[in-house]
Amino acid sequence: MRLTTFTDYALRALVYLATNDKRRVTKQDIADAYGISLHHVAKIAQRLAQNGYVEARRGREGGLRLAMDPSEISLGCVVRDFEEFGLVECFRGEENQCPIAPTCGLIPILGEAVEAFCSVLDRKTLADIVSGPRKAAEYRRHFLVE
Amino acid sequence: MRLTTFTDYALRALVYLATNDKRRVTKQDIADAYGISLHHVAKIAQRLAQNGYVEARRGREGGLRLAMDPSEISLGCVVRDFEEFGLVECFRGEENQCPIAPTCGLIPILGEAVEAFCSVLDRKTLADIVSGPRKAAEYRRHFLVE
């Protein structure tokens, strides 16, 4: 079971931004921190901004920063905004070739399991990821922009 | 979020076998029913037999059938036996390049969400997928070996 790279990197970009608090960071900073492509980060930043998690400013003094406090960013919302829940073939409309899909009893069961997965994340925020003195120090050591 | 094809097809093979009750079916029957490759089905059948879900007999009168009642086959067990829970990059040991993985607060949160996903499946069995008169009739219409 995997989340898409898109969701994985969105969560990581938010962690990076939370560590940098009110400082503005560049997409290149995020790409460098995780060793991922700038192209990916650009797509993620665009969606994060569209969905109101991030404030993006262009120009010399520009960059990205969180548009709200980490404690207000629900991980459930982020994952629901970014993830595609195509759990098995019959969840992925056009791709489906399973003849039993219209009445299959597996679909609602997997739907319930996905909802339980998301419900755990609904009760957690970005602050829960980065809080705690040891964790916060580690994040700063790796990710803080001077 | 996707399950691997391996888990997807394992669940489908079990559904097919449950519909055929005590009849023996061939791997080719399963491959034909879902339009999937015989090679895939063979790998899945081998694992299903190794894990005690399926009884495989060679030869002319051979074939596959369930080794236990569908009500005794926990979907949670099947998914835990077949799935790889490499949810994000840092869950996938060798692949990981994220510098913060050893202390990252996201890992236990995602672990808790995966556990909630599996817990729903632990409370369901193969019988829950195929039971109910309408569903059972549909499964038989598509999958019953004459």
Side-chain angles (χ1 to χ4, degrees):
Chain A
M1 189 160 87
R2 290 190 177 205
L3 295 179
T4 60
T5 308
F6 200 47
T7 308
D8 182 355
Y9 292 174
L11 290 167
R12 295 206 232 173
L14 288 170
V15 164
Y16 190 92
L17 290 161
T19 302
N20 280 285
D21 196 24
K22 300 289 178 214
R23 291 175 196 82
R24 290 193 178 270
V25 307
T26 66
K27 290 171 231 172
Q28 190 68 58
D29 291 332
I30 298 173
D32 291 345
Y34 295 110
I36 60 184
S37 87
L38 183 60
H39 176 72
H40 266 124
V41 175
K43 279 173 62 182
I44 286 153
Q46 187 180 27
R47 176 78 74 90
L48 285 170
Q50 280 166 349
N51 290 29
Y53 299 113
V54 159
E55 195 191 286
R57 189 183 292 175
R58 286 173 186 281
R60 192 176 247 253
E61 298 292 303
L64 306 168
R65 68 179 181 190
L66 291 184
M68 48 183 127
D69 191 81
S71 66
E72 295 169 333
I73 298 183
S74 150
L75 300 182
C77 288
V78 175
V79 169
R80 290 175 204 269
D81 282 347
F82 277 77
E83 189 59 24
E84 287 175 27
F85 292 97
L87 215 64
V88 290
E89 188 183 289
C90 54
F91 279 58
R92 304 191 288 268
E94 289 167 17
E95 233 182 85
N96 181 55
Q97 295 193 22
C98 182
I100 201 72
T103 49
C104 183
L106 180 59
I107 297 174
I109 292 172
L110 288 177
E112 198 183 316
V114 167
E115 195 44 46
F117 177 91
C118 289
S119 292
V120 168
L121 302 180
D122 286 338
R123 297 191 294 272
K124 307 284 184 180
T125 71
L126 182 55
D128 293 317
I129 301 183
V130 297
S131 62
R134 183 162 163 250
K135 279 191 290 177
E138 272 294 296
Y139 283 117
R140 279 197 300 271
R141 190 164 74 82
H142 285 285
F143 296 156
L144 199 66
V145 173
E146 296 304 329
Chain B
M1 191 159 87
R2 291 190 175 203
L3 295 179
T4 60
T5 308
F6 201 47
T7 308
D8 183 354
Y9 292 174
L11 290 166
R12 295 206 232 174
L14 288 170
V15 164
Y16 190 91
L17 290 161
T19 302
N20 280 285
D21 196 23
K22 298 292 177 213
R23 290 175 197 82
R24 288 193 180 270
V25 307
T26 66
K27 289 170 231 174
Q28 190 67 58
D29 291 331
I30 298 172
D32 291 346
Y34 294 109
I36 60 185
S37 87
L38 182 61
H39 175 72
H40 267 124
V41 175
K43 279 173 62 182
I44 287 153
Q46 187 181 29
R47 177 79 74 91
L48 284 170
Q50 280 167 349
N51 290 28
Y53 299 113
V54 160
E55 194 192 286
R57 189 185 292 177
R58 287 174 185 279
R60 193 177 246 252
E61 297 292 304
L64 305 167
R65 69 178 179 190
L66 291 184
M68 47 182 128
D69 192 81
S71 66
E72 295 169 333
I73 297 182
S74 150
L75 300 182
C77 287
V78 175
V79 168
R80 290 175 203 268
D81 282 348
F82 277 78
E83 188 59 24
E84 286 174 27
F85 292 96
L87 216 64
V88 290
E89 188 183 289
C90 54
F91 279 59
R92 302 190 290 268
E94 288 167 17
E95 234 181 85
N96 179 57
Q97 295 193 23
C98 182
I100 202 72
T103 49
C104 182
L106 181 58
I107 296 174
I109 293 173
L110 288 177
E112 196 183 319
V114 167
E115 195 45 44
F117 177 91
C118 289
S119 293
V120 168
L121 302 180
D122 286 338
R123 297 191 294 272
K124 308 284 185 180
T125 71
L126 182 55
D128 293 318
I129 300 183
V130 297
S131 63
R134 181 162 165 249
K135 276 191 291 177
E138 272 294 297
Y139 283 117
R140 280 196 300 271
R141 190 164 74 81
H142 285 285
F143 296 156
L144 200 65
V145 172
E146 296 303 333

